[in-house]
Amino acid sequence: MKNQVQLITYVDRLTAGGFSDLKALVDGPLKGVIGGVHPLPFFDPIDGADAGFDPIDHTLVDRRLGDWNDVRALSASVDIMADMIVNHVSANSPAFRDFLDKGEASGFADMFLTFGKVFPNGASEDDLLAIYRPRPGFPFTKMTFGDGSKRLIWTTFTPQQIDIDVFSQHGAAYLDAILNRFKQGGVTAIRLDAAGYAIKKPGTSSFMIPETYAFLGELADKARSLGMEVLVEIHSYYRDQIDIARKVDRVYDFALPPLVLHALFTGEAGPLAEWLKISPRNAITVLDTHDGIGVIDVGAATDGRPGLLPPAALDALVETMHERSGGESRQATGAAASNLDLYQVNCTYYDALGKRDGEYLIARALQFFAPGIPQVYYVGLLGGVNDMDLLARTKVGRDINRHYYTPAEVTAALEKAVVRRLFELARFRNTHPAFGGDFAVEQPSASRLVLSWTQGDEQASLDVDFKSATASITHRGAGGEGHFVVG
């Protein structure tokens, strides 16, 4: 993966078209701004129960976006990352429909996880309470089979997303087919989505257990043998994230978004400084994604170990997001908007900061200087605001940050001052040689942070004072010296 700013986007929601339109953007106004693209699930269909994360056919491009030839054409312009959804398939997939119709007589019966398959000797209360799930309740859905019988099917996320047995003959073949299709399609990196839930074992949490690490290691080896790098997507306690990072190619730095907000809200640089001293260096850094702004990643562990922020600071962080967004994020978070995730606030990052251009650009500069490779969500790239109309139509909290742009809206966004300044920051991050060197973080005062990159005579430093919400970048090297204000 190029050490440059990456774009993560729904193809149709950014372009109002398909892959050919995305390529036109990449080769046009985004040229030099991004070095790679992560198109969010573009498989058949893109508009299922979970915005593409419940594919019926993971090896088929939704024809509304184009086909694999269009994907390969985009890969000639930028590197491409694709989602490999290892935990589940759509309830409408042919394999599951066959299983539901024929039961154990189905040729795909081995591919799916029933309660009895995971707990052949039954489950105790402790067994069930040990299961980790990011949403309320247990991960089972009662379903009726063709003969009228009823069984409990393991569904970690929703009843439309059916968990698969990754060790079964058909489950393993399914995953291998996806890897081979990606290789043929010009994909050079994959994100293992919901990977932490892939292995179920009685008496455990069935989340990131030792068997999960082993499975992910084997899957990553297969991907690497095909020339693809592997990113694992997991929200978890920060110490666990550091441990996970030692075992995989790349992880997300999900602690960064709330810590940056905390620093900008309070003027306190300490928690962010401490995290940047120990954060995984093989990270993909983010501020916003297609999901909400996570808080579990800076909170306490389930066993009581303290988090990066104490509970009172975490509560204040969430309330300040709600306040700065004018209450819009509150309408999109929790049961009020059918958002059952326990650890996310739904809001654009721009709105979470109260649409304050200066603070938004400081936040992006911090992301670009933090250890790892920065990835920017399409709404954030365009300085987008909360889509309250879409939220009202769908009643799905995360849709507040999943706007469908028209070409005219994209053109208008590209002319906004905050977007132009963001693009300048991205081009600087993409081209300055210092970012290929060594990272250092200093905290000269309680409210100030200095992040520096050095490679030989090349150096770039970001100096932020959170109390005054001011920042500047100083750089030197073969191209000369320079200094400019952020924001």
Side-chain angles (χ1 to χ4, degrees), residues 258-289:
L259 289 176
V260 168
L261 289 174
H262 170 79
L264 288 167
F265 290 165
T266 66
E268 300 171 3
L272 177 58
E274 291 305 308
W275 170 242
L276 292 176
K277 291 174 184 176
I278 62 173
S279 64
R281 274 32 184 170
N282 59 330
I284 299 296
T285 65
V286 294
L287 294 183
D288 45 5
T289 70

Side-chain angles (χ1 to χ4, degrees), residues 318-336:
V318 172
E319 286 305 311
T320 305
M321 279 192 272
H322 292 331
E323 178 186 339
R324 288 217 185 176
S325 70
E328 291 178 349
S329 59
R330 195 185 301 278
Q331 296 179 52
T333 300

Side-chain angles (χ1 to χ4, degrees), residues 88 200 454:
H88 52 262
K200 284 75 174 174
T454 306

Side-chain angles (χ1 to χ4, degrees), residues 12-14 378 387 390 393 402-406 409:
D12 59 321
R13 297 186 193 220
L14 174 60
Y378 77 108
D387 191 335
L390 182 61
R393 290 199 303 273
R402 295 179 175 181
H403 182 64
Y404 288 89
Y405 280 88
T406 66
E409 286 175 327

Side-chain angles (χ1 to χ4, degrees), residues 19-42:
F19 273 100
S20 60
D21 302 288
L22 180 56
K23 180 174 169 57
L25 271 179
V26 166
D27 293 339
L30 301 186
K31 190 172 182 63
V33 176
I34 60 169
V37 176
H38 175 181
L40 284 160
F42 49 87

Side-chain angles (χ1 to χ4, degrees), residues 14-86:
L14 174 60
T15 68
F19 273 100
S20 60
D21 302 288
L22 180 56
K23 180 174 169 57
L25 271 179
V26 166
D27 293 339
L30 301 186
K31 190 172 182 63
V33 176
I34 60 169
V37 176
H38 175 181
L40 284 160
F42 49 87
F43 320 113
D44 182 34
I46 57 173
D47 52 0
D50 192 21
F53 284 93
D54 53 335
I56 291 176
D57 190 336
H58 206 315
T59 65
L60 182 66
V61 177
D62 189 306
R63 62 183 181 181
R64 289 168 289 184
L65 303 181
D67 57 28
W68 282 106
N69 290 326
D70 297 303
V71 178
R72 280 192 292 272
L74 178 62
S75 72
S77 298
V78 288
D79 293 340
I80 294 181
M81 177 186 290
D83 285 289
M84 183 171 181
I85 303 164
V86 298

Side-chain angles (χ1 to χ4, degrees), residues 253 256 275-285 366-374 429 439-441 451 453:
D253 184 350
L256 187 66
W275 170 242
L276 292 176
K277 291 174 184 176
I278 62 173
S279 64
R281 274 32 184 170
N282 59 330
I284 299 296
T285 65
L366 286 162
Q367 179 193 4
F368 292 175
F369 270 77
I373 295 177
R429 173 62 176 79
F439 173 77
V441 55
L451 310 184
W453 287 90

Side-chain angles (χ1 to χ4, degrees), residues 367-439:
Q367 179 193 4
F368 292 175
F369 270 77
I373 295 177
Q375 185 183 73
V376 180
Y377 185 56
Y378 77 108
V379 176
L381 188 72
L382 298 178
V385 299
N386 289 330
D387 191 335
M388 301 305 290
D389 291 337
L390 182 61
L391 173 64
R393 290 199 303 273
T394 67
K395 305 293 191 296
V396 175
R398 287 175 294 184
D399 278 349
I400 196 173
N401 192 27
R402 295 179 175 181
H403 182 64
Y404 288 89
Y405 280 88
T406 66
E409 286 175 327
V410 172
T411 299
L414 293 172
E415 294 302 316
K416 291 166 57 176
V418 66
V419 173
R420 293 199 303 268
R421 293 296 303 277
L422 175 56
F423 281 21
E424 291 171 6
L425 280 174
R427 291 189 178 98
F428 175 78
R429 173 62 176 79
N430 290 343
T431 57
H432 201 287
F435 292 100
D438 299 318
F439 173 77

